[in-house]
Amino acid sequence: VREPDFEKEIKLALKAEAEQTIPADTDLWFRIYRQIQAKENIAPAPKAVPLLRDWRKLTVIGLSTAAGLAMLFIAFVVGISVGKIQETSVAGDISTAIPQPSVAGTTPDPTKLLAPVFTLSAHTGTVTAIAWSPDGTYLATGSADKTVKIWDSKRNLVKTLNFDNPVTSLSWSSDGKRLAIAAGRAFTYAMNLPGFPQIGYLAGNFKTVIFSPKGNQVLILGEGVGFLADEVFLVQGDFPLNSADSNGTLGVWSPSGLEFATTNKDNKAVYFWRASDFSHSGGVKPYFKLNITGGYNDIKKLDWSPDGAWLAVQREYEYQGKYIDISLWTKTNNTIWSSVNFELSNINTYKYVPKTWGSGWSPGSKVIGFKDDADKLHMLEYGGKISQVLDGETVKGISSGEWSPDGKYFGAGDNKGIVQLWEVNSANLGGKWEGNPYVGHISSLKLDPANPGVYRGLAVSSFGHIYLTAQNGLNRWIQKLDSTGKIIWSKSIDLNVLDTQGGRGGIALDSTGNVYVLDTLSYTVNKFDEQGNFLNKWGSKGSGDAQFENLNGIALDAEDNVYVLTLNEVKKFDKNGRFLLKFDKKPDGTSWFSRAKQVVTLPGDLVAVSDENSNILRIFNSLGNYMGELSIGLSANTLATDKKGNLYIGNHSQFYKFNPYKGSTQSNLLYTFGNSGKGNYQFNIISSVIVHENGLIYVLEWLPASAQIKVYYQYPNS
Amino acid sequence: MDEKQAIARLKKGDIGGLELLVRHYQVGAIQAAYLITLDRAIAEDIVQSAFLRVYEQISQFEESKPFRPYFNRIVVNAALKYVQRERKLSLDELLENENINLTPLNNDFEPAEWLDRVETRQLIWSILSQMPPLQRMAIVMRYFLDMSEAEMAEQMQCPPGTVKWRLHSAKQQLKTILSEHFRGKETANRADHELFKPKLVTEGGEK
């Protein structure tokens, strides 16, 4: 007998038996952590969100009733803190290259306006619109004096645009390259070209122009008319309502750009439209009509929350005085909106005359200014708290206002053509309005404390619905939550959702809201609808095309193709489970991956894969061709991306953001924060990270019995 | 973050360091424990307990040393202790058992006849699984954990010669039984050999 061969056979026999009985995705970590937690009696994370105190005060003084849902919502929209960002290039190991950031000290709190720090003698008539370019480079002001003026961040007048009619609306494209203006007719200008040439023009009498979040469409509204057009106003579709109703002049896009909402002619109803319906001409119908009940109601403003979950409708009505309220509406399924009402103001004390100029949703928070009969400026938070009342010469005649994108300035225009720039809460924010990057904590959503489990999978829909996979012993379930953390439904499933290697925990959504969940016991991909109803599944154990030896991660691309990651290959399927292709081996036949960990799809038809045994991300195109690699200096346990392709990694108790892959192996660490603990900027083992379309960051901490999702705003938002 | 950094973090009380160690070493450790105990649930319990011990005693660990041997020692020893307790055998009894079925090497045996057979590895495992735990542990340490004989001697707290002898006797036993098995298949008169009762042979070995 040749001894080496014999020993080899023993080795192979041991290996085969070990791997057959103990698969590579076996994971004891949660058991171990639970035991440590029990031994050390680690207390659950604190439940109270400081801002809830404000809401409780409101109930004490007898304001309108509000459900717990609204309470959570207040916490969601109002809470903000700021983390200072470190920026540096990565070389070598990341944990030594990056200093721990500070997460305190420069909070722009929109509830605390200090004083106007700059005054621009901008116009000769009432200022009707103020809009910052998304990156803070320019400020555009529009006026009844029929001009739009463009200012740089040193308050120099850069350009004056003249029109035949008063200016009523301004809107920047999300990339800052285009500015749309309504001044009777509608116009677009190329703000990235010398002299800002006009590139779009549409005749008519329009009041409102709004760029879509994706920047490729403009919503144009006038009395009785509405158009959706591209940036040079090639109309993609008009949407005249039926003969019994017609368009109003208010509108708003959902943050995802998938939908928009418009008012009707008497501002008593809201229509919802899907942008995809405008890909063909004619016959476009709204998919839902929302009647705002009450004979005295008059819709004054529509706002869509940054996570896409809530449409806020501001109403004005008269009953022994003028009052306003805000009703919140959310999608209960793909086609139905329903209300969650709570009133905004203390109607017995304050009689506001809303001017309907507000900030939109100020970054990570929400404050709206209203003028009262005495011309005082009241700053109101959603939920009814009066954060500030400003009086005196500086606030008289204010007629329009807007927050800078970084949340550090509030621009207010008055009826004499003056624009004041108010600095927010701290005099040391600097004299410019282009802000430094920061991250602000918005809320912490505690997950079903009555039913503790190990939460692994996280996905967030375009409309703010949160999907989770969880497991507690043999009990396994999928949950759908609204953006306040309230459970919409929870369904037991017969899938093993725990053993996937972290990251998204084997859950992903397609563009229509269907949910895909990996099952590591049956080696299948399982598809559910948005109500949790099982649709179909595919896969089995094996090495065939539609088979898996193990399951690690799942991601969908813009066409809803499904990428399934195993330890050493990526398999691509269409949304119905038809196998398309796989990428696993280099041209020399060796594997790309030694222990693949996470997969995400990136803009530009790219796919990124992390590997437990390496500090790089491998980049492929959607055909499986290897494009290159990005050195990030750490092995990514979790991996997420945003609309620009920035990469976000949550490892243990730290959070990292890297620049997109641009063909170079060198990565740039944009910021990092976090350490071990229970604070707003601390983490107890990150198990999943998702970045929403408008840059909101969702971080799932799995810690049993106190699992929670922390939500952050970031500036810039991608 | 590499292993040393993970340990440094763990020493500072950051449990994130432990997670990295768990994620990196758990599967191999559970597999090793299973190969000794033959029970997946027990193997997982052992590894879980071993990591808890790491968590509690990490301050005593010298960072300059590699983690894997340190951890394997905990796991293998715990697995062996379990098996000994479970089977209610003393160490002496186990050592006595190591000599059973020891027969001279059969030089007529031709490995080429069986090495390519699909069920061979299952057969080898079925034999290994019936060996006395201490003997099987030696095989696992040498051929699964890739430990050197010197490392094994240190861990088993016995002279290197003893390790060598244990390995040799285990292999010898394996070869003998395999050769008897295949000869037995030819003559169809060894099917009731005690060591060939395991299901893997009766299910897959006989045609």
Side-chain angles (χ1 to χ4, degrees), chain A residues 144-320:
Chain A
D145 70 2
K146 304 176 186 175
T147 65
V148 168
K149 296 195 173 180
I150 310 295
W151 311 81
D152 69 13
S153 62
K154 294 183 173 59
R155 283 85 61 201
N156 298 313
L157 179 61
V158 178
K159 177 92 174 178
T160 300
L161 303 169
N162 295 292
F163 301 95
D164 295 334
N165 294 291
V167 176
T168 53
S169 179
L170 298 171
S171 176
W172 290 88
S173 62
S174 57
D175 61 6
K177 293 178 179 174
R178 303 286 182 264
L179 176 64
I181 299 168
R185 288 165 285 183
F187 306 86
T188 46
Y189 291 82
M191 305 306 288
N192 59 331
L193 298 177
F196 308 146
Q198 179 188 315
I199 58 170
Y201 166 81
L202 189 65
N205 185 17
F206 304 114
K207 299 292 186 193
T208 300
V209 288
I210 318 173
F211 262 105
S212 69
K214 292 177 181 171
N216 57 350
Q217 289 174 307
V218 186
L219 177 61
I220 309 166
L221 299 168
E223 296 288 351
V225 293
F227 294 103
L228 198 62
D230 68 8
E231 63 174 17
V232 295
F233 293 154
L234 288 172
V235 172
Q236 297 168 334
D238 60 323
F239 43 97
L241 297 170
N242 58 47
S243 56
D245 205 349
S246 65
N247 300 78
T249 58
L250 297 176
V252 66
W253 280 95
S254 72
S256 62
L258 295 174
E259 299 186 1
F260 59 88
T262 60
T263 55
N264 70 338
K265 63 180 178 184
D266 58 1
N267 289 324
K268 291 196 172 18
V270 180
Y271 288 94
F272 290 88
W273 311 79
R274 290 199 175 95
S276 58
D277 290 343
F278 289 79
S279 56
H280 53 88
S281 60
V284 179
K285 302 279 186 214
Y287 76 85
F288 192 72
K289 181 185 181 186
L290 191 64
N291 286 308
I292 307 296
T293 57
Y296 299 100
N297 297 333
D298 200 2
I299 298 170
K300 289 293 184 182
K301 196 168 188 346
L302 300 175
D303 282 319
W304 213 307
S305 66
D307 64 355
W310 305 94
L311 182 76
V313 181
Q314 290 183 35
R315 301 181 296 177
E316 174 191 320
Y317 58 99
E318 283 198 53
Y319 179 74
Q320 298 176 347

Side-chain angles (χ1 to χ4, degrees), chain A residues 316-327:
Chain A
E316 174 191 320
Y317 58 99
E318 283 198 53
Y319 179 74
Q320 298 176 347
K322 281 190 177 177
Y323 306 117
I324 59 160
D325 71 12
I326 286 182
S327 56

Side-chain angles (χ1 to χ4, degrees), chain A residues 617-629:
Chain A
L617 298 178
R618 288 202 165 82
I619 314 290
F620 302 83
N621 68 11
S622 59
L623 299 174
N625 299 317
Y626 181 66
M627 306 301 286
E629 64 187 40

